[in-house]
Structures are given as structure tokens and as C-alpha cells.
Amino acid sequence: MTSLPSLFLPHGAPDLLLSNHVSKDFLGTLGSRVGRPAAILIVSAHWEAAQPTLTTAEAPETVHDFAGFPDALYRIRYPARTASDLVDWVDALLTDQGIAAAKDPDRGYDHGTWAPLSLVYPEADIPVVQLSLVRGGTARQHFEIGRALAPLRDRDVLIVGSGSVTHNLRELGPEGAPPPAWATAFDDWVSLAVECADWDSLLRFPDDPETGRRAHPTPEHFLPFYVAAGAGMPERGTKLHCSFSHGSISMSAYAFGGELAAA
């Protein structure tokens, strides 16, 4: 059986689900290309903890971790359930690599999890476990976490990193505005480095390239990329989608390893 790819997906602004953005259409068709996994392990930019931490509530709440959006957004629920066997597998794989993990019985699904999954797998009938980022962790640390988790792909577990290739909230524009040069430069740099399997350069983020710190004043929205990349253990990845939202938010998506059906 062919292993599943690992994915890096954009979750965009919280109101993506209420928009007509082209990336919403992309995410809406992605599930049919991936197929139905046995379970999903997702790393969201919106959860950082002192060590990798797993959701263990049987039915995590849908957390609306934002303010100032239309009421319809707060009525959305993603009623997926977790899976204790997946929690145990992740814990064991991380422990085998000397990475201590924690468990959180109270954590719900933040919008970095439920927003993209509501489009990719809207039925919410696949078990979902969320894994935190490491607060203050580096690109290489998160890449190594992904490498530790790679065997899950052979168990029909879809590993997803959810974030954004660019994320500077101080430089947003109106929806439909052209992306600024610094945003396209960083997005292009990532795309070329992935295509060329230039992991030495990618793992120097955020110190390189020059546009890295403007694209990410704080790094958390790009760190899930490294978990997905490490889990795919690629020589190179595949860019699945490219667009921008609110001017400067890259909605680029990538697959690492495995195979996808044609779009």
C-alpha cells in the first residue's frame, strides 16, 4: 500500500469559510485527491506548548479563538473525535527519538485545525488528534518531530501542518489586493527551495532569507511546514496551490511524499 503524503495547508483568516476565495475551492476538493485516511494528526500554528502536547479529550470542543467576525463563524462546529490509539502511537514514536510529549485532556480544536478540515473533510467523521508546536522551538526541531512521526503515514494516518507561508498581520490589505513584493519573494523562495530539495537553506529560517523576518515577525505560522516536511522525509515536495489572501497572506500548500490523485 502506498503511504499517504504529509500536507502543509493554509488556514488563512478565520473567515475563509465564509469567503469565495480560490484557496477555499482548492481545499474543498483536496479530500477527494488524498482519499479517506484512518485518522488525522494535525499541527496548528495556534497552539504552542513547552513540549509537544497532544489533545486527549474524547470529543474536543470547537474553539473560536478570534474576535470581531460575523456571527455565522461562531456557530460553526467541527465535531470530530480523537483516537486514543493514535495518541499512544504519537507518544511512543516521539519517545523513541528522545522527545518527551505531554497530553492535554482539556484542549479543543483551534481554528487552525477546524477551519481547513471543515473544507477538506467536512463530515468530521475521521478521528483527529491535534499536536502542539514547541514554544520557542526552531525549524530544525520541528522538522525532527516530523521525521519521528513519519511511520504514521504507513498506518494510514494523514499528517497535516496548518499555518501560512507568510504571516504578517501588521501588513494585511483588503481582500483582492495584490501581494507586496516581500511576500511574493518569500513565497517564491520557499517554492524554489522545496522544488530543489534545498533543506539546508529552508532549515535556516527565520535567519535566512532576508525577507524571512518580515514574512514572519513571529515564526509559529511557518513551523507546521517543517513538521509536515519532516514527516514526508522528502528529497523534494510538491506545491499544490498558490494564491494570496488579504494581500500578504500566502495560501500556498504543499505535499511531501506519497501520492495524490490528479486535480
Side-chain angles (χ1 to χ4, degrees), residues 16-150:
L16 175 66
L17 295 178
L18 305 181
S19 77
N20 295 314
H21 196 271
V22 63
S23 63
K24 179 181 174 183
D25 297 333
F26 158 72
L27 291 168
T29 62
L30 185 59
S32 63
R33 297 181 62 191
V34 177
R36 180 186 171 88
I40 298 168
L41 177 69
I42 186 165
V43 180
S44 163
H46 290 274
W47 187 19
E48 299 176 276
Q51 63 193 104
T53 305
L54 293 150
T55 53
T56 59
E58 185 176 348
E61 295 182 359
T62 302
V63 180
H64 299 85
D65 50 336
F66 44 77
F69 289 91
D71 290 344
L73 201 57
Y74 299 91
R75 293 194 291 270
I76 293 174
R77 298 292 182 272
Y78 194 75
R81 304 175 78 84
T82 54
S84 59
D85 55 350
L86 178 54
V87 170
D88 292 342
W89 290 343
V90 172
D91 191 15
L93 288 169
L94 293 175
T95 298
D96 285 349
Q97 297 302 314
I99 303 169
K103 299 175 182 178
D104 189 334
D106 300 316
R107 177 78 186 188
Y109 297 134
D110 61 58
H111 81 272
T113 288
W114 60 259
L117 293 186
S118 292
L119 296 169
V120 181
Y121 294 109
E123 298 84 1
D125 57 354
I126 299 171
V128 176
V129 172
Q130 188 170 338
L131 175 68
S132 77
L133 296 170
V134 177
R135 187 181 300 114
T138 64
R140 187 172 294 278
Q141 281 178 289
H142 287 90
F143 186 81
E144 294 302 327
I145 288 170
R147 286 178 64 89
L149 298 174

Side-chain angles (χ1 to χ4, degrees), residues 175-187:
E175 193 61 273
W182 62 263
T184 57
F186 187 79
D187 190 72

